[in-house]
Amino acid sequence: MSFQQAPPVDEVIEALRSAPLDQDADGRALLPSAGVDPSRPVGKGNPPRLRRRGKVAPRPTAMEVERRIAEAQLWIAQRMPLLRIYENAGASWGVTNTRTVRSYLDAARQRMVEDLISNRLEHQAQHIYALYDCARRAMDAEQFSAAVGAFRVIAEIGGILRGPIKSPELRG
């Protein structure tokens, strides 16, 4: 009787891990079929593509798209981080595809720019009114440098002041 020495345990475990699930009579691996039809040439429909798993959200209505763009504008105005926007879009809209969320964000940014351009005078008036209120409060609190700064910004917005206030002698 001759006893053969058993291979180390690590080699046995590795052989079991790398062994195929099914083998033919000769010990060759039987790999699962990829769905290739041998009678047809391999191409676009051969092998067939795997179908998406899970539910695909239905396409949104035009009103839903407008609501999503408005919500994206709000998130942009709040300076929300992009990762948080992705999370909110997934929770609120059921959209997890980042490319889709980015397309909504692009549309929201474009709308914000168009709104700013079309209502430029209205935006200027709102900012000037807010700065006058700021300057009045600064003068009431005897913070005159802050009031002067607010008036300088008002002049810049109104187009009265184009350059810095400092004289050329002080710049040098």
Side-chain angles (χ1 to χ4, degrees):
M1 275 183 151
S2 72
F3 290 102
Q4 293 180 347
Q5 188 175 5
V9 175
D10 293 338
E11 289 179 19
V12 173
I13 292 173
E14 209 43 54
L16 288 172
R17 285 183 181 160
S18 62
L21 297 176
D22 295 323
Q23 297 178 353
D24 63 4
D26 297 329
R28 287 185 294 243
L30 292 176
L31 298 175
S33 171
V36 177
D37 184 2
S39 64
R40 295 176 34 217
V42 175
K44 186 175 180 183
N46 190 25
R49 302 268 186 242
L50 294 175
R51 300 219 183 261
R52 286 185 182 172
R53 295 180 187 178
K55 293 181 180 178
V56 177
R59 293 185 66 85
T61 62
M63 194 165 127
E64 176 66 16
V65 169
E66 292 299 322
R67 188 188 69 78
R68 289 178 182 182
I69 291 173
E71 200 168 2
Q73 285 178 326
L74 176 67
W75 294 337
I76 292 169
Q78 291 174 343
R79 300 185 54 89
M80 197 174 286
L82 193 57
L83 189 61
R84 182 79 181 269
I85 289 175
Y86 289 150
E87 291 172 0
N88 287 355
S92 178
W93 309 337
V95 175
T96 56
N97 187 345
T98 58
R99 178 178 272 173
T100 304
V101 175
R102 280 191 180 272
S103 66
Y104 280 114
L105 289 173
D106 291 342
R109 286 185 192 104
Q110 186 63 33
R111 290 252 178 101
M112 291 171 84
V113 168
E114 289 170 3
D115 183 46
L116 183 64
I117 290 171
S118 66
N119 298 332
R120 185 177 180 98
L121 292 176
E122 183 180 336
H123 285 284
Q124 284 179 336
Q126 288 173 352
H127 289 298
I128 288 172
Y129 179 77
L131 283 167
Y132 269 123
D133 187 46
C134 178
R136 184 187 51 76
R137 283 196 222 153
M139 287 189 292
D140 290 345
E142 295 184 6
Q143 296 178 348
F144 298 111
S145 62
V148 169
F151 283 122
R152 185 182 65 79
V153 174
I154 289 171
E156 286 178 3
I157 290 173
I160 299 169
L161 183 65
R162 296 278 180 203
I165 294 178
K166 289 184 179 179
S167 66
E169 298 87 37
L170 293 176
R171 284 190 220 159

